[in-house]
């Protein structure tokens, strides 16, 4: 199966590079578009410098990937809601996100909400620290 538009949800940590590589492995060169999104639920971006830092980190991830990135977004809100909106608007046919296996991540995982909210293929990548 060939995916036409893949969305990678990153958290700006070092694991983001691993997620993007997994997404690229699912892509068909010259046929698949790749987009990156960062969603922050609990934080309001206060200053231009903070917004610029986030945008710069996302841009760095895009350049480091070595794959043409179609779109880069930094959003505020609930992850499952924002991802579902992007999936519908951009006709995403694969969403890639990661899951850490520490206690806090197991208690607060976004994966169940994402599974219920998005209507497309969904790849959850294990992120062992």
């Amino acid at each position: 199966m060939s995916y036409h538009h893949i969305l990678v949800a990153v958290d700006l940590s070092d694991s983001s590079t691993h997620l993007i590589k997994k997404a690229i492995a699912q892509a068909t060169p010259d046929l698949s578009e790749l987009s990156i999104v960062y969603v922050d639920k609990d934080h309001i971006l206060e200053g231009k410098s903070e917004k610029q830092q986030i945008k710069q980190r996302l841009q760095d991830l895009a350049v480091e990937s070595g794959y043409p990135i179609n779109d880069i977004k930094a959003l505020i809100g609930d992850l499952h809601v924002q991802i579902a909106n992007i999936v519908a608007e951009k006709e995403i046919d694969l969403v890639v996100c990661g899951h850490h296996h520490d206690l806090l991540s197991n208690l607060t995982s976004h994966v169940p909400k994402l599974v219920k909210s998005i209507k497309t293929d969904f790849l959850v990548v294990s992120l062992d620290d």
Side-chain angles (χ1 to χ4, degrees):
M1 174 174 199
S2 177
Y3 291 105
H4 299 286
H5 197 164
I6 301 169
L7 177 66
V8 186
V10 299
D11 63 1
L12 304 181
S13 70
D14 293 339
S15 300
S16 298
T17 301
H18 180 65
L19 286 176
I20 294 169
K21 287 179 182 177
K22 286 286 191 176
I24 291 169
Q26 301 300 312
T28 303
D30 300 326
L31 295 178
S32 300
E33 295 181 12
L34 188 66
S35 296
I36 300 173
V37 65
Y38 166 73
V39 180
D40 194 337
K41 177 185 177 184
D42 300 319
H43 192 84
I44 296 175
L45 303 177
E46 295 181 3
K48 285 185 179 181
S49 66
E50 189 172 6
K51 289 178 188 176
Q52 288 173 337
Q53 288 175 352
I54 290 170
K55 286 182 180 180
Q56 185 60 53
R57 176 67 177 134
L58 288 168
Q59 192 62 42
D60 291 346
L61 287 167
V63 170
E64 290 168 11
S65 76
Y67 193 93
I69 304 299
N70 185 56
D71 194 18
I72 300 170
K73 293 185 181 294
L75 304 170
I76 298 172
D78 289 325
L79 181 68
H80 68 285
V81 172
Q82 295 290 2
I83 298 291
N85 288 339
I86 295 170
V87 165
E89 290 170 13
K90 302 288 185 178
E91 298 181 9
I92 304 292
D93 52 356
L94 175 65
V95 173
V96 178
C97 78
H99 177 70
H100 295 275
H101 293 279
D102 58 23
L103 178 61
L104 182 61
S105 295
N106 286 332
L107 293 174
T108 62
S109 176
H110 294 286
V111 172
K113 287 182 181 178
L114 281 166
V115 168
K116 291 178 185 177
S117 300
I118 62 174
K119 307 230 183 307
T120 194
D121 288 357
F122 184 43
L123 174 61
V124 180
V125 179
S126 176
L127 301 172
D128 291 324
D129 296 326

